[in-house]
Amino acid sequence: MRYFSLTALSLMFALSACVYEPEQFVESEKGENSNSNNSVTDMGTLYAVNDGKQICNPSVSQDSKNYPASMLWLNFGGTLKVKTPDSVYTTSKVVQHDRLSVSDTSGKVLWYLMRDTEAGDCQFQDPEWSTHPNYIVALRAFNSKGESGCKESDMDYGMFAVRMSDKKKFFFYDKEMSEFATPHLWVDADAEHDTTAADDTVEGFFGTDQVRLVYVNKKDEIVFVNYANGGTKSAKTLKKPSGVDGWMMDSPMISPDGNFVVYNMINSSMTGWKSYIQELSENSKPIEIEKSSGMISEPVQPRWFAYAERLFVMWTEFPQGSQFVNKNDLTEVSVQDGSAGRTAMREVSLVAGAPSDLAFAWTGDVVEIAPIPMIGGRSPDGRFVATGTNLGFLLELP
């Protein structure tokens, strides 16, 4: 997802994913790795992730077996406050966006990927758990001039998947990606990696050619790549919604069946937004997720949630005039009443390839998940929702 900074706004309203520097974390008097900020409430138990102002790009775990009660996140610079798995994962003198971390409600890091400085890695950007539990997609920055150092103006970006089981990478694009591409990856749920296969092909790396990728290009368009049907050479661009000229495209997320996306359109001040559902087809029309009675605002940060053959779209709502970059301490009782925003979902029925009037239908009413804003998705078992902008949290639902 994208985050603005005041500097970026002054420069032709440019966007930047997590480029602002938060306040550096200061050790609590309650001791290292304390979970003292955990909060038991009527809405569930709220766990502080990292217990400091260090979290962006939250993505709830899609692997409830190997990484339960966890989330993927990107760090800022300074000091991290987590339970480290080994001596490689340092917590002091951390460089901004130098690792991908998966940590749980106890503060323990269960999995991580450090940047490879020898390979020229400058930073990671826009990590997101794929629809398959064994894969994550992200961007990797490097110095486009081939020089040492990671000056922001000299950075170029590539886009890669990482296999969690062995931390091997597969690059979809080596360069010329936007820093704000916010990619998402769909992999056939039944795919199993063949350890004897070559990792330099899509089918070898993923165990299938049923792989689909979406991202936002430099023209603010959603690009759809189907690796079972031509791959990058046959990439398609989706039609953009009307009436939102000058707004930014953000965070396309592929549905569990691989046939649709949900995404944001956001104005330059981040105080206005709209969300859409759209089939992954060159001629498909965007369908706005409209605000209905009882909603605080237009929906933002839409995500899919599938459970027991049922499909939902979940989203966040914020009070009028707020930005969806939420920096509230959600353990404060004063913001647990919906005043900082809320998380909701609605069941939906989708039919790929159908006429537009039959392809989409809501099958239920809007249901509140929690009276706080959680933008990082819901775990496959339905137990946890995640969030993070400076402050990261996992909420265990009752």
Side-chain angles (χ1 to χ4, degrees):
M1 65 202 67
R2 298 179 176 184
Y3 300 128
F4 289 91
S5 67
L6 293 176
T7 301
L9 286 172
S10 67
L11 297 174
M12 300 179 66
F13 299 109
L15 285 170
S16 185
C18 291
V19 298
Y20 56 83
E21 284 285 358
E23 304 93 317
Q24 295 301 318
F25 180 76
V26 178
E27 185 66 43
S28 168
E29 294 180 359
K30 296 179 181 179
E32 186 179 4
N33 300 325
S34 168
N35 282 329
S36 58
N37 285 345
N38 296 342
S39 176
V40 179
T41 71
D42 290 341
M43 65 184 171
T45 303
L46 193 64
Y47 298 92
V49 177
N50 188 69
D51 201 13
K53 299 176 180 180
Q54 280 285 0
I55 304 292
C56 69
N57 292 92
S59 180
V60 77
S61 171
Q62 296 301 302
D63 188 344
S64 298
K65 178 181 178 182
N66 295 309
Y67 306 103
S70 304
M71 81 177 195
L72 166 70
W73 48 278
L74 194 60
N75 59 282
F76 296 106
T79 301
L80 301 182
K81 189 183 181 188
V82 289
K83 298 175 184 176
T84 60
D86 54 40
S87 59
V88 176
Y89 192 102
T90 58
T91 58
S92 61
K93 299 181 180 179
V94 172
V95 177
Q96 180 168 297
H97 297 182
D98 68 353
R99 69 196 69 194
L100 306 179
S101 301
V102 174
S103 60
D104 64 12
T105 55
S106 72
K108 181 180 180 181
V109 174
L110 305 181
W111 182 94
Y112 67 90
L113 180 72
M114 304 292 289
R115 67 172 182 158
D116 187 345
T117 54
E118 292 186 4
D121 288 357
C122 283
Q123 65 171 314
F124 296 123
Q125 197 68 281
D126 297 337
E128 188 69 51
W129 218 302
S130 81
T131 60
H132 192 291
N134 198 28
Y135 298 96
I136 284 170
V137 66
L139 302 177
R140 185 281 307 254
F142 61 95
N143 189 305
S144 60
K145 296 181 178 180
E147 301 172 354
S148 60
C150 295
K151 186 179 178 181
E152 184 72 26
S153 60
D154 294 337
M155 285 190 195
D156 194 3
Y157 287 82
M159 186 181 299
F160 70 95
V162 58
R163 197 166 51 212
M164 300 196 68
S165 56
D166 58 9
K167 299 186 181 181
K168 294 289 183 65
K169 298 177 189 175
F170 180 88
F171 274 83
F172 297 110
Y173 298 93
D174 292 327
K175 57 184 179 179
E176 298 181 355
M177 288 289 102
S178 167
E179 180 184 359
F180 319 116
T182 57
H184 191 230
L185 178 66
W186 178 91
V187 180
D188 186 349
D190 296 326
E192 294 186 12
H193 170 233
D194 180 356
T195 56
T196 65
D199 283 338
D200 59 353
T201 67
V202 167
E203 191 164 6
F205 188 82
F206 294 100
T208 180
D209 65 355
Q210 296 297 317
V211 176
R212 301 175 184 184
L213 176 71
V214 293
Y215 63 91
V216 178
N217 65 16
K218 294 179 180 179
K219 296 180 180 180
D220 251 338
E221 302 166 323
I222 293 177
V223 178
F224 165 49
V225 185
N226 185 346
Y227 287 93
N229 186 21
T232 56
K233 294 180 180 179
S234 301
K236 307 296 183 185
T237 301
L238 300 188
K239 290 183 177 180
K240 296 179 70 171
S242 60
V244 285
D245 293 344
W247 290 34
M248 284 66 69
M249 187 77 71
D250 181 46
S251 298
M253 303 287 293
I254 306 176
S255 60
D257 66 1
N259 292 319
F260 292 82
V261 286
V262 288
Y263 58 91
N264 295 316
M265 295 291 294
I266 307 168
N267 69 13
S268 58
S269 64
M270 286 184 63
T271 57
W273 47 76
K274 293 180 181 292
S275 293
Y276 298 86
I277 298 174
Q278 191 166 356
E279 187 172 354
L280 287 172
S281 170
E282 192 173 15
N283 298 314
S284 64
K285 295 181 179 180
I287 301 168
E288 184 178 351
I289 307 174
E290 296 182 348
K291 179 183 177 182
S292 61
S293 176
M295 292 174 60
I296 298 173
S297 71
E298 302 285 347
V300 69
Q301 290 303 124
R303 289 176 174 266
W304 304 99
F305 171 60
Y307 190 81
E309 306 302 322
R310 301 169 69 186
L311 180 64
F312 301 84
V313 178
M314 61 178 294
W315 61 74
T316 309
E317 301 164 15
F318 292 97
Q320 184 69 30
S322 298
Q323 293 186 346
F324 86 93
V325 176
N326 174 49
K327 299 182 181 180
N328 287 293
D329 182 350
L330 299 179
T331 61
E332 295 289 339
V333 175
S334 61
V335 301
Q336 294 177 357
D337 59 356
S339 58
R342 71 167 190 167
T343 309
M345 69 179 187
R346 191 173 186 183
E347 191 167 1
V348 65
S349 173
L350 300 172
V351 181
S356 58
D357 63 329
L358 301 175
F360 160 86
W362 294 116
T363 60
D365 297 326
V366 176
V367 176
E368 181 176 283
I369 300 173
I372 54 174
M374 306 292 286
I375 63 175
R378 187 169 185 174
S379 60
D381 59 10
R383 302 285 184 185
F384 292 88
V385 286
T387 198
T389 307
N390 281 21
L391 295 166
F393 298 96
L394 278 161
L395 174 64
E396 183 176 11
L397 298 169

